[in-house]
Structures are given as structure tokens and as C-alpha cells.
Coordinates of all heavy atoms in Angstrom, one line a residue:
M169 N 0.8 -0.2 13.5 CA 0.6 -1.5 13.4 C 2.0 -2.2 13.0 O 2.7 -1.7 12.1 CB -0.4 -1.9 12.4 CG -0.5 -3.3 12.1 SD -1.9 -3.7 10.9 CE -3.2 -2.8 11.4
P170 N 2.5 -3.2 13.7 CA 3.7 -3.8 13.3 C 3.6 -4.3 11.9 O 2.6 -4.7 11.4 CB 3.8 -5.0 14.4 CG 3.0 -4.6 15.5 CD 1.8 -3.8 14.9
W171 N 4.8 -4.4 11.3 CA 4.7 -4.8 9.8 C 4.1 -6.1 9.5 O 3.5 -6.3 8.6 CB 6.2 -4.7 9.2 CG 7.2 -5.7 9.9 CD1 8.0 -5.5 10.9 CD2 7.5 -7.0 9.4 NE1 8.7 -6.6 11.2 CE2 8.3 -7.6 10.3 CE3 6.9 -7.8 8.4 CZ2 8.9 -9.0 10.2 CZ3 7.4 -9.1 8.2 CH2 8.3 -9.6 9.1
I172 N 4.3 -7.1 10.4 CA 3.8 -8.5 10.4 C 2.2 -8.4 10.3 O 1.6 -8.9 9.5 CB 4.3 -9.5 11.3 CG1 3.8 -10.9 10.8 CG2 3.7 -9.2 12.6 CD1 4.5 -11.4 9.6
G173 N 1.7 -7.4 11.1 CA 0.2 -7.2 11.1 C -0.3 -6.8 9.8 O -1.4 -7.0 9.2
M174 N 0.5 -5.8 9.1 CA 0.1 -5.3 8.0 C 0.1 -6.3 6.9 O -0.8 -6.4 6.1 CB 1.1 -4.1 7.5 CG 1.0 -2.8 8.2 SD -0.4 -1.8 7.7 CE 0.2 -1.3 6.1
L175 N 1.1 -7.2 6.8 CA 1.2 -8.3 5.9 C 0.0 -9.2 6.1 O -0.6 -9.6 5.2 CB 2.5 -9.0 6.0 CG 3.8 -8.2 5.6 CD1 4.9 -9.1 5.8 CD2 3.7 -7.8 4.2
E176 N -0.4 -9.5 7.3 CA -1.5 -10.4 7.6 C -2.8 -9.8 7.1 O -3.6 -10.3 6.5 CB -1.5 -10.8 9.1 CG -0.4 -11.8 9.5 CD -0.3 -11.9 11.0 OE1 -1.0 -11.2 11.7 OE2 0.5 -12.9 11.4
N177 N -3.0 -8.5 7.5 CA -4.3 -7.8 7.1 C -4.5 -7.7 5.7 O -5.6 -7.6 5.2 CB -4.4 -6.5 7.8 CG -4.6 -6.5 9.3 OD1 -5.0 -7.7 9.8 ND2 -4.3 -5.5 10.0
W178 N -3.4 -7.4 4.9 CA -3.5 -7.2 3.5 C -3.0 -8.4 2.6 O -2.8 -8.2 1.5 CB -2.6 -5.9 3.2 CG -3.2 -4.7 3.9 CD1 -3.0 -4.1 4.9 CD2 -4.2 -3.9 3.2 NE1 -3.7 -3.1 5.1 CE2 -4.5 -2.9 4.0 CE3 -4.9 -4.0 2.0 CZ2 -5.4 -1.9 3.8 CZ3 -5.9 -3.0 1.7 CH2 -6.1 -1.9 2.6
Q179 N -2.8 -9.6 3.2 CA -2.3 -10.7 2.4 C -3.1 -11.0 1.2 O -2.3 -11.4 0.2 CB -2.2 -11.8 3.4 CG -3.5 -12.5 3.9 CD -3.2 -13.6 4.8 OE1 -2.5 -14.6 4.5 NE2 -3.6 -13.5 6.0
M180 N -4.4 -11.0 1.2 CA -5.1 -11.3 -0.1 C -4.8 -10.3 -1.2 O -4.6 -10.7 -2.3 CB -6.6 -11.5 0.2 CG -6.9 -12.7 1.1 SD -5.9 -14.2 0.9 CE -6.8 -14.7 -0.7
A181 N -5.0 -9.1 -0.9 CA -4.6 -8.0 -1.8 C -3.2 -8.1 -2.3 O -2.9 -7.8 -3.5 CB -5.0 -6.7 -1.3
L182 N -2.3 -8.3 -1.4 CA -0.8 -8.4 -1.8 C -0.6 -9.6 -2.7 O 0.1 -9.5 -3.6 CB 0.1 -8.6 -0.5 CG 0.2 -7.2 0.3 CD1 0.8 -7.6 1.6 CD2 1.0 -6.2 -0.6
S183 N -1.3 -10.7 -2.3 CA -1.2 -11.9 -3.1 C -1.5 -11.7 -4.6 O -0.9 -12.1 -5.5 CB -2.0 -13.0 -2.6 OG -1.9 -14.2 -3.3
K184 N -2.7 -11.1 -4.7 CA -3.2 -10.7 -6.0 C -2.3 -9.8 -6.8 O -2.0 -10.0 -7.9 CB -4.7 -10.1 -5.9 CG -5.3 -9.8 -7.2 CD -6.7 -9.3 -7.0 CE -7.3 -9.0 -8.3 NZ -8.7 -8.4 -8.2
R185 N -1.9 -8.7 -6.1 CA -0.9 -7.7 -6.7 C 0.4 -8.3 -7.1 O 1.0 -8.0 -8.2 CB -0.8 -6.5 -5.7 CG 0.3 -5.6 -6.1 CD -0.1 -4.7 -7.2 NE 1.0 -3.8 -7.6 CZ 1.0 -2.6 -7.7 NH1 0.0 -1.8 -7.3 NH2 2.1 -1.8 -8.1
L186 N 0.9 -9.1 -6.3 CA 2.4 -9.7 -6.5 C 2.4 -10.9 -7.2 O 3.5 -11.4 -7.4 CB 3.0 -9.6 -5.2 CG 3.1 -8.3 -4.4 CD1 3.8 -8.5 -3.1 CD2 4.0 -7.2 -5.2
E187 N 1.2 -11.6 -7.3 CA 1.1 -12.9 -7.8 C 2.0 -13.9 -7.1 O 2.8 -14.8 -7.7 CB 1.5 -13.0 -9.4 CG 0.6 -12.1 -10.2 CD 0.9 -12.0 -11.7 OE1 2.0 -12.5 -12.1 OE2 0.0 -11.4 -12.4
R188 N 1.9 -13.7 -5.7 CA 2.6 -14.7 -4.9 C 1.5 -15.2 -3.9 O 0.5 -14.6 -3.7 CB 3.6 -14.1 -4.0 CG 4.9 -13.6 -4.8 CD 5.8 -12.8 -4.0 NE 6.2 -13.5 -2.8 CZ 6.7 -12.7 -1.7 NH1 6.8 -11.4 -1.8 NH2 7.0 -13.4 -0.6
S189 N 1.7 -16.4 -3.3 CA 0.6 -16.9 -2.4 C 0.7 -16.1 -1.1 O 1.7 -15.5 -0.7 CB 0.9 -18.4 -2.1 OG 2.0 -18.5 -1.1
A190 N -0.5 -15.9 -0.6 CA -0.7 -15.2 0.7 C 0.2 -15.8 1.9 O 0.7 -15.0 2.6 CB -2.2 -15.2 1.1
E191 N 0.2 -17.1 1.8 CA 1.1 -17.8 2.8 C 2.5 -17.5 2.7 O 3.2 -17.1 3.6 CB 0.9 -19.2 2.8 CG -0.5 -19.7 3.1 CD -1.5 -19.6 1.9 OE1 -1.0 -19.5 0.8 OE2 -2.7 -19.7 2.2
D192 N 3.0 -17.4 1.5 CA 4.5 -17.0 1.2 C 4.7 -15.5 1.7 O 5.8 -15.3 2.2 CB 4.8 -17.2 -0.3 CG 6.2 -16.9 -0.6 OD1 7.1 -17.4 0.1 OD2 6.4 -16.1 -1.6
I193 N 3.7 -14.7 1.4 CA 3.9 -13.2 1.7 C 4.1 -13.1 3.2 O 4.9 -12.4 3.8 CB 2.8 -12.4 1.1 CG1 3.0 -12.3 -0.4 CG2 2.8 -11.0 1.7 CD1 1.8 -11.8 -1.2
V194 N 3.1 -13.8 4.0 CA 3.1 -13.7 5.4 C 4.4 -14.4 6.0 O 5.0 -13.8 7.0 CB 1.9 -14.3 6.0 CG1 2.1 -14.4 7.6 CG2 0.7 -13.4 5.6
E195 N 4.8 -15.5 5.5 CA 5.9 -16.2 6.0 C 7.2 -15.6 5.6 O 8.2 -15.5 6.5 CB 5.8 -17.7 5.4 CG 6.8 -18.6 6.0 CD 6.6 -20.0 5.6 OE1 5.5 -20.5 5.6 OE2 7.7 -20.6 5.1
N196 N 7.4 -15.1 4.4 CA 8.7 -14.6 3.9 C 8.8 -13.1 3.7 O 9.8 -12.6 3.3 CB 9.0 -15.3 2.6 CG 9.2 -16.8 2.8 OD1 10.0 -17.3 3.6 ND2 8.5 -17.5 2.0
S197 N 7.8 -12.4 4.1 CA 7.6 -10.9 4.0 C 7.7 -10.5 2.4 O 7.6 -11.4 1.5 CB 8.8 -10.3 4.8 OG 8.6 -8.9 4.8
L198 N 7.8 -9.3 2.2 CA 8.0 -8.7 0.9 C 9.5 -8.8 0.5 O 10.3 -8.7 1.3 CB 7.5 -7.3 0.8 CG 6.0 -7.1 1.1 CD1 5.6 -5.6 1.0 CD2 5.1 -8.0 0.3
L199 N 9.7 -9.0 -0.8 CA 11.1 -9.2 -1.3 C 11.4 -8.0 -2.1 O 10.6 -7.3 -2.7 CB 11.1 -10.4 -2.1 CG 10.6 -11.7 -1.6 CD1 10.5 -12.8 -2.6 CD2 11.3 -12.1 -0.3
A200 N 12.6 -7.8 -2.3 CA 13.1 -6.6 -3.0 C 12.6 -6.7 -4.5 O 12.3 -5.7 -5.0 CB 14.7 -6.5 -3.1
T201 N 12.4 -7.9 -5.0 CA 11.9 -8.0 -6.4 C 10.4 -7.7 -6.4 O 9.8 -7.6 -7.5 CB 12.0 -9.6 -6.8 OG1 11.5 -10.4 -5.8 CG2 13.4 -9.8 -7.0
D202 N 9.7 -7.4 -5.3 CA 8.3 -7.1 -5.2 C 8.2 -5.5 -5.6 O 7.0 -5.1 -5.9 CB 7.6 -7.4 -3.9 CG 7.5 -8.8 -3.6 OD1 7.3 -9.6 -4.6 OD2 7.6 -9.2 -2.4
F203 N 9.3 -4.8 -5.5 CA 9.3 -3.4 -5.8 C 9.9 -3.0 -7.0 O 10.7 -3.7 -7.6 CB 10.0 -2.7 -4.5 CG 9.3 -2.9 -3.2 CD1 9.7 -4.0 -2.4 CD2 8.2 -2.1 -2.8 CE1 9.1 -4.2 -1.2 CE2 7.6 -2.4 -1.6 CZ 8.1 -3.4 -0.8
S204 N 9.4 -1.9 -7.6 CA 10.0 -1.3 -8.9 C 10.4 0.1 -8.4 O 10.5 0.5 -7.4 CB 8.9 -1.3 -10.0 OG 8.0 -0.4 -9.6
N205 N 10.8 0.8 -9.4 CA 11.1 2.3 -9.3 C 9.8 3.2 -9.2 O 10.0 4.4 -9.2 CB 12.0 2.7 -10.4 CG 13.3 2.1 -10.3 OD1 13.9 1.9 -9.3 ND2 14.0 1.9 -11.4
A206 N 8.7 2.5 -9.1 CA 7.4 3.4 -9.1 C 7.4 4.1 -7.8 O 7.9 3.8 -6.7 CB 6.2 2.5 -9.3
S207 N 6.6 5.2 -7.8 CA 6.3 6.1 -6.7 C 4.8 6.0 -6.4 O 4.0 6.0 -7.4 CB 6.8 7.5 -6.8 OG 8.2 7.6 -6.9
V208 N 4.4 6.3 -5.2 CA 3.1 6.4 -4.8 C 2.8 7.8 -4.3 O 3.6 8.3 -3.4 CB 2.6 5.3 -3.8 CG1 1.1 5.7 -3.3 CG2 2.6 4.0 -4.4
R209 N 1.9 8.6 -4.7 CA 1.5 9.9 -4.3 C 0.2 9.9 -3.6 O -0.8 9.6 -4.3 CB 1.7 10.9 -5.4 CG 1.4 12.4 -4.9 CD 1.8 13.3 -5.9 NE 1.8 14.7 -5.3 CZ 1.5 15.8 -6.1 NH1 1.2 15.8 -7.3 NH2 1.4 16.9 -5.5
V210 N 0.1 10.4 -2.4 CA -1.2 10.5 -1.7 C -1.5 12.0 -1.6 O -0.6 12.7 -1.1 CB -1.2 9.8 -0.3 CG1 -2.5 10.0 0.2 CG2 -0.8 8.4 -0.4
Q211 N -2.6 12.5 -2.1 CA -3.0 13.9 -2.0 C -4.3 14.0 -1.2 O -5.2 13.5 -1.6 CB -3.2 14.5 -3.3 CG -1.9 14.4 -4.2 CD -2.2 14.9 -5.6 OE1 -2.7 14.0 -6.4 NE2 -2.0 16.1 -6.0
F212 N -4.2 14.7 -0.2 CA -5.4 14.8 0.7 C -6.2 16.1 0.4 O -5.5 17.1 -0.1 CB -5.0 14.8 2.2 CG -4.4 13.5 2.6 CD1 -3.0 13.3 2.8 CD2 -5.2 12.4 2.9 CE1 -2.5 12.0 3.2 CE2 -4.8 11.1 3.3 CZ -3.3 11.0 3.4
E213 N -7.4 16.1 0.8 CA -8.3 17.2 0.5 C -7.7 18.6 0.9 O -8.0 19.7 0.3 CB -9.7 17.0 1.1 CG -10.7 18.0 0.9 CD -12.0 17.6 1.6 OE1 -12.0 16.8 2.4 OE2 -13.0 18.3 1.3
D214 N -7.1 18.6 2.1 CA -6.6 19.9 2.6 C -5.3 20.4 2.0 O -4.7 21.4 2.4 CB -6.3 19.8 4.2 CG -5.2 18.8 4.5 OD1 -4.6 18.2 3.6 OD2 -4.9 18.8 5.7
G215 N -4.8 19.7 0.9 CA -3.6 20.2 0.2 C -2.3 19.4 0.7 O -1.3 19.5 0.0
T216 N -2.4 18.6 1.7 CA -1.3 17.8 2.2 C -1.1 16.8 1.2 O -2.0 16.1 0.7 CB -1.6 17.2 3.6 OG1 -1.9 18.2 4.5 CG2 -0.4 16.4 4.1
D217 N 0.2 16.5 0.9 CA 0.6 15.4 0.0 C 1.8 14.6 0.5 O 2.7 15.3 1.2 CB 0.6 15.8 -1.5 CG 1.9 16.7 -1.6 OD1 1.8 17.9 -1.3 OD2 2.9 16.2 -2.2
L218 N 1.8 13.3 0.1 CA 3.0 12.5 0.5 C 3.5 11.9 -0.7 O 2.6 11.3 -1.5 CB 2.5 11.4 1.6 CG 1.9 12.0 2.8 CD1 1.3 10.9 3.6 CD2 3.1 12.6 3.8
T219 N 4.7 11.6 -0.9 CA 5.2 10.8 -2.0 C 6.1 9.7 -1.5 O 7.0 10.0 -0.6 CB 6.0 11.7 -3.0 OG1 5.2 12.6 -3.6 CG2 6.5 10.8 -4.2
F220 N 5.9 8.4 -1.9 CA 6.7 7.2 -1.4 C 7.4 6.7 -2.6 O 6.8 6.4 -3.6 CB 5.8 6.2 -0.7 CG 5.1 6.7 0.5 CD1 3.9 7.2 0.4 CD2 5.7 6.6 1.7 CE1 3.2 7.6 1.5 CE2 5.1 7.1 2.8 CZ 3.8 7.5 2.7
R221 N 8.7 6.7 -2.6 CA 9.5 6.1 -3.7 C 9.7 4.6 -3.5 O 9.7 4.1 -2.3 CB 10.8 6.8 -3.8 CG 10.6 8.2 -4.3 CD 12.0 8.9 -4.6 NE 11.7 10.2 -5.1 CZ 11.8 11.2 -4.4 NH1 11.9 11.2 -3.1 NH2 11.5 12.4 -4.9
H222 N 9.9 3.8 -4.6 CA 10.1 2.5 -4.6 C 8.9 1.8 -3.8 O 9.1 1.1 -2.7 CB 11.4 2.0 -4.0 CG 12.5 2.6 -4.7 ND1 13.0 2.0 -5.9 CD2 13.3 3.6 -4.5 CE1 14.0 2.8 -6.3 NE2 14.2 3.7 -5.5
A223 N 7.6 2.1 -4.1 CA 6.5 1.8 -3.4 C 5.3 1.3 -4.4 O 5.4 1.6 -5.6 CB 6.1 3.0 -2.6
F224 N 4.2 0.7 -3.7 CA 3.1 0.4 -4.5 C 2.0 0.6 -3.5 O 2.3 0.4 -2.2 CB 3.1 -0.9 -5.2 CG 3.3 -2.1 -4.2 CD1 2.2 -2.8 -3.7 CD2 4.6 -2.5 -4.0 CE1 2.4 -3.8 -2.8 CE2 4.7 -3.7 -3.1 CZ 3.6 -4.3 -2.6
Y225 N 0.7 0.5 -3.8 CA -0.4 0.5 -2.9 C -1.4 -0.5 -3.4 O -1.5 -1.0 -4.5 CB -1.0 1.8 -2.7 CG -1.9 2.3 -3.9 CD1 -3.3 2.0 -3.8 CD2 -1.4 3.0 -5.0 CE1 -4.2 2.4 -4.8 CE2 -2.2 3.3 -5.9 CZ -3.6 3.1 -5.9 OH -4.5 3.4 -6.9
V226 N -2.2 -1.0 -2.3 CA -3.3 -1.9 -2.6 C -4.5 -1.3 -1.7 O -4.3 -0.5 -0.9 CB -3.0 -3.4 -2.1 CG1 -1.9 -3.9 -2.9 CG2 -2.7 -3.3 -0.6
G227 N -5.7 -1.6 -2.2 CA -6.8 -1.2 -1.6 C -7.8 -0.5 -2.6 O -7.3 -0.1 -3.7
E228 N -9.0 -0.4 -2.3 CA -10.0 0.2 -3.3 C -10.1 1.6 -3.0 O -9.9 2.2 -1.8 CB -11.4 -0.5 -3.0 CG -11.3 -1.9 -3.4 CD -12.8 -2.5 -3.3 OE1 -13.7 -1.8 -3.2 OE2 -12.9 -3.8 -3.2
T229 N -10.3 2.4 -4.0 CA -10.5 3.9 -4.0 C -11.7 4.2 -4.8 O -11.5 5.2 -5.6 CB -9.2 4.6 -4.4 OG1 -8.9 4.2 -5.8 CG2 -8.0 4.3 -3.5
P230 N -12.9 3.6 -4.6 CA -14.0 4.1 -5.3 C -14.4 5.4 -5.1 O -14.2 6.0 -4.0 CB -15.1 3.1 -5.0 CG -14.5 2.4 -3.8 CD -13.1 2.7 -3.7
A231 N -15.0 6.1 -6.1 CA -15.4 7.5 -5.9 C -17.0 7.6 -5.5 O -17.7 8.3 -6.1 CB -15.2 8.2 -7.3
D232 N -17.3 6.8 -4.6 CA -18.8 6.8 -4.1 C -19.0 7.7 -3.0 O -20.1 7.6 -2.4 CB -19.1 5.4 -3.9 CG -18.4 4.6 -2.7 OD1 -17.5 5.5 -2.1 OD2 -18.7 3.6 -2.3
G233 N -18.1 8.5 -2.5 CA -18.2 9.4 -1.3 C -17.9 8.8 -0.1 O -17.7 9.5 0.9
A234 N -17.7 7.5 0.0 CA -17.3 6.9 1.2 C -15.8 6.9 1.4 O -15.0 7.2 0.5 CB -17.8 5.4 1.3
I235 N -15.3 6.7 2.8 CA -13.9 6.7 3.0 C -13.6 5.3 3.0 O -14.2 4.3 3.4 CB -13.7 7.2 4.4 CG1 -14.1 8.7 4.5 CG2 -12.3 7.1 4.8 CD1 -14.1 9.4 5.8
H236 N -12.4 5.1 2.3 CA -11.8 3.7 2.1 C -10.4 3.6 2.5 O -9.6 4.5 2.5 CB -11.8 3.3 0.5 CG -13.2 3.4 0.0 ND1 -14.1 2.3 0.1 CD2 -14.0 4.3 -0.6 CE1 -15.2 2.6 -0.4 NE2 -15.2 3.8 -0.8
R237 N -10.1 2.4 3.1 CA -8.7 2.1 3.5 C -7.8 1.6 2.4 O -8.2 0.7 1.7 CB -8.8 1.1 4.7 CG -7.6 0.9 5.4 CD -7.8 0.0 6.7 NE -8.3 -1.3 6.2 CZ -7.9 -2.5 6.6 NH1 -6.9 -2.6 7.4 NH2 -8.4 -3.6 6.1
I238 N -6.6 2.3 2.4 CA -5.5 1.7 1.5 C -4.3 1.4 2.2 O -4.2 2.0 3.3 CB -5.3 2.7 0.2 CG1 -5.0 4.0 0.7 CG2 -6.6 2.8 -0.6 CD1 -3.5 4.3 0.6
A239 N -3.4 0.7 1.7 CA -2.1 0.4 2.3 C -0.9 0.8 1.3 O -1.1 0.3 0.1 CB -2.0 -1.0 2.8
V240 N 0.1 1.4 1.8 CA 1.2 1.8 0.9 C 2.3 0.9 1.4 O 2.7 1.0 2.6 CB 1.6 3.3 0.9 CG1 2.8 3.5 0.1 CG2 0.5 4.1 0.4
F241 N 3.0 0.2 0.6 CA 4.2 -0.6 1.0 C 5.4 -0.1 0.2 O 5.4 0.1 -1.0 CB 3.9 -2.1 0.5 CG 2.8 -2.7 1.2 CD1 1.4 -2.5 0.9 CD2 3.0 -3.4 2.4 CE1 0.4 -3.2 1.6 CE2 2.0 -4.1 3.2 CZ 0.7 -3.8 2.7
T242 N 6.4 0.3 1.0 CA 7.6 0.8 0.5 C 8.8 -0.1 0.7 O 8.7 -0.9 1.6 CB 8.0 2.2 1.1 OG1 8.4 2.0 2.4 CG2 6.8 3.2 1.1
E243 N 9.7 0.0 -0.2 CA 10.9 -1.0 0.0 C 11.8 -0.5 1.2 O 12.3 -1.4 2.0 CB 11.7 -1.0 -1.2 CG 12.9 -2.0 -1.2 CD 13.7 -2.1 -2.5 OE1 13.4 -1.3 -3.5 OE2 14.5 -3.0 -2.6
H244 N 12.0 0.7 1.5 CA 12.9 1.2 2.5 C 12.2 2.0 3.6 O 12.9 2.3 4.6 CB 13.9 2.2 1.8 CG 14.7 1.5 0.6 ND1 15.6 0.5 0.9 CD2 14.6 1.7 -0.6 CE1 16.1 0.0 -0.3 NE2 15.5 0.7 -1.2
C245 N 10.9 2.3 3.5 CA 10.3 3.2 4.6 C 9.1 2.6 5.2 O 8.3 3.3 5.7 CB 9.9 4.6 4.0 SG 11.4 5.5 3.4
G246 N 9.0 1.3 5.2 CA 7.9 0.6 5.9 C 6.6 0.6 5.2 O 6.5 0.8 3.9
Y247 N 5.6 0.2 5.9 CA 4.3 0.0 5.4 C 3.3 1.0 6.1 O 3.4 1.1 7.4 CB 3.8 -1.3 5.6 CG 4.8 -2.4 5.2 CD1 4.8 -3.7 5.9 CD2 5.7 -2.3 4.1 CE1 5.7 -4.7 5.6 CE2 6.6 -3.3 3.8 CZ 6.5 -4.5 4.5 OH 7.5 -5.5 4.1
Q248 N 2.4 1.7 5.5 CA 1.6 2.8 5.9 C 0.2 2.4 5.4 O -0.1 2.0 4.4 CB 1.9 4.1 5.4 CG 3.4 4.3 5.3 CD 4.2 4.4 6.6 OE1 3.6 4.9 7.7 NE2 5.4 3.9 6.7
E249 N -0.8 2.7 6.4 CA -2.2 2.6 6.1 C -2.8 4.0 6.1 O -2.4 4.9 6.9 CB -3.0 1.7 7.0 CG -2.9 0.3 6.8 CD -3.9 -0.4 7.7 OE1 -4.3 0.0 8.7 OE2 -4.2 -1.5 7.3
F250 N -3.7 4.3 5.2 CA -4.4 5.6 5.0 C -5.9 5.4 4.9 O -6.3 4.3 4.2 CB -3.9 6.4 4.0 CG -2.3 6.8 4.1 CD1 -1.4 6.1 3.5 CD2 -2.1 7.9 4.8 CE1 -0.1 6.3 3.6 CE2 -0.7 8.2 5.1 CZ 0.2 7.5 4.4
W251 N -6.7 6.2 5.3 CA -8.1 6.4 5.0 C -8.2 7.5 3.9 O -7.8 8.6 4.0 CB -8.9 6.8 6.2 CG -8.9 5.7 7.2 CD1 -8.1 5.6 8.3 CD2 -9.7 4.6 7.1 NE1 -8.3 4.4 9.0 CE2 -9.4 3.8 8.4 CE3 -10.7 4.0 6.3 CZ2 -9.9 2.5 8.6 CZ3 -11.2 2.8 6.6 CH2 -10.9 2.1 7.8
I252 N -8.8 7.1 2.8 CA -8.9 7.9 1.6 C -10.4 8.4 1.4 O -11.2 7.4 1.2 CB -8.4 7.2 0.3 CG1 -6.8 6.8 0.5 CG2 -8.5 8.1 -0.9 CD1 -6.0 8.0 0.6
G253 N -10.7 9.6 1.4 CA -12.0 10.0 1.2 C -12.2 10.4 -0.3 O -11.3 10.3 -1.1
S254 N -13.4 10.7 -0.7 CA -13.8 10.9 -2.1 C -13.1 12.2 -2.7 O -12.9 12.2 -3.8 CB -15.2 11.1 -2.3 OG -15.7 12.2 -1.4
S255 N -12.6 13.1 -1.8 CA -11.8 14.3 -2.3 C -10.4 14.1 -2.3 O -9.5 14.9 -2.7 CB -12.2 15.5 -1.5 OG -13.6 15.8 -1.6
D256 N -9.9 12.9 -1.7 CA -8.4 12.6 -1.7 C -8.1 11.9 -3.0 O -8.9 11.2 -3.7 CB -8.1 11.7 -0.5 CG -8.6 12.5 0.9 OD1 -8.4 13.6 1.0 OD2 -9.0 11.7 1.7
R257 N -6.8 11.9 -3.2 CA -6.3 11.1 -4.5 C -5.1 10.3 -4.1 O -4.3 10.8 -3.3 CB -5.9 12.1 -5.6 CG -7.2 13.0 -6.1 CD -8.0 12.2 -6.8 NE -9.2 13.0 -7.3 CZ -10.4 12.8 -6.6 NH1 -10.6 12.1 -5.7 NH2 -11.4 13.6 -7.0
I258 N -5.0 9.2 -4.8 CA -3.8 8.4 -4.8 C -3.4 8.0 -6.1 O -4.3 7.7 -6.9 CB -4.0 7.2 -3.8 CG1 -2.6 6.5 -3.6 CG2 -5.1 6.3 -4.2 CD1 -2.6 5.5 -2.4
S259 N -2.1 8.0 -6.4 CA -1.8 7.6 -7.7 C -0.4 6.9 -7.6 O 0.4 7.1 -6.7 CB -1.5 8.8 -8.7 OG -0.6 9.7 -8.1
E260 N -0.1 6.0 -8.6 CA 1.2 5.4 -8.7 C 1.8 5.6 -10.1 O 1.1 5.4 -11.1 CB 0.9 3.8 -8.5 CG 2.1 3.0 -8.3 CD 1.7 1.5 -8.0 OE1 0.8 1.3 -7.1 OE2 2.3 0.7 -8.5
N261 N 3.0 6.0 -10.1 CA 3.7 6.2 -11.4 C 5.2 6.0 -11.2 O 5.7 6.0 -10.1 CB 3.4 7.5 -12.0 CG 3.5 8.6 -11.0 OD1 4.1 8.6 -9.9 ND2 3.0 9.7 -11.4

């Protein structure tokens, strides 16, 4: 999905996370000041894992057994969407 589509699809969650208006996020994109030195790590049930530096994620990850969609936004490596199941893990540190 093109980056603008990601911003549009996730604008409400991004607005809440970044404390910026949804309109500002879609119109002006993400800013360098929206990112910190935090990393996001996604661990899948099969042992596959991914780490994104200078990143954050939005989306729900309830442990109710259902699969949930999350989005990882990185400062330098674009924006990614993932489906997270109850045996998968995502963390930010």
C-alpha cells in the first residue's frame, strides 16, 4: 500500500499516538520529531522475527485468539502492516 494510503487508513490511531490532528498527519505526513530511538520487534509464532529501529506501532493486540491488524511506522524504512495472531508478539522498547 502506498505510504499515503497507510497514513489515511491509520490517521485516527496516529493522531491519538502522536497528539497531532488526523488532518495534519495526512496533509504533512509523519515528521522526524514523531520518531524516537525506540525499536519495534515483531515475533511470529513460527520463530520468524523482525526488528525496526526508530519506529513505533499502532493497532490493537488483544489476546482473545483473534487475528488483529497492526501498523509499524519507521523513520527510514517506510510503513508496514501486519496481521498479529494470539501466538505472535509485538513489543516496543
Side-chain angles (χ1 to χ4, degrees):
M169 171 181 316
W171 65 269
I172 192 68
M174 287 281 292
L175 293 177
E176 289 171 350
N177 286 344
W178 291 94
Q179 64 183 301
M180 297 312 292
L182 287 167
S183 177
K184 184 176 178 180
R185 166 76 189 233
L186 301 173
E187 298 179 350
R188 293 174 49 205
S189 74
E191 296 80 18
D192 181 51
I193 290 168
V194 171
E195 187 174 308
N196 297 308
S197 191
L198 298 181
L199 309 171
T201 55
D202 293 328
F203 298 92
S204 68
N205 287 329
S207 294
V208 173
R209 183 172 184 204
V210 183
Q211 297 169 280
F212 294 101
E213 179 180 15
D214 70 353
T216 303
D217 66 282
L218 304 165
T219 300
F220 299 95
R221 293 187 174 92
H222 303 281
F224 63 88
Y225 78 93
V226 295
E228 296 182 17
T229 57
D232 63 1
I235 296 174
H236 299 275
R237 188 172 59 129
I238 58 101
V240 176
F241 293 87
T242 72
E243 185 174 10
H244 302 291
C245 296
Y247 313 149
Q248 321 295 323
E249 278 188 337
F250 297 98
W251 292 98
I252 301 296
S254 61
S255 297
D256 302 323
R257 298 289 174 257
I258 185 164
S259 60
E260 186 174 323
N261 46 14

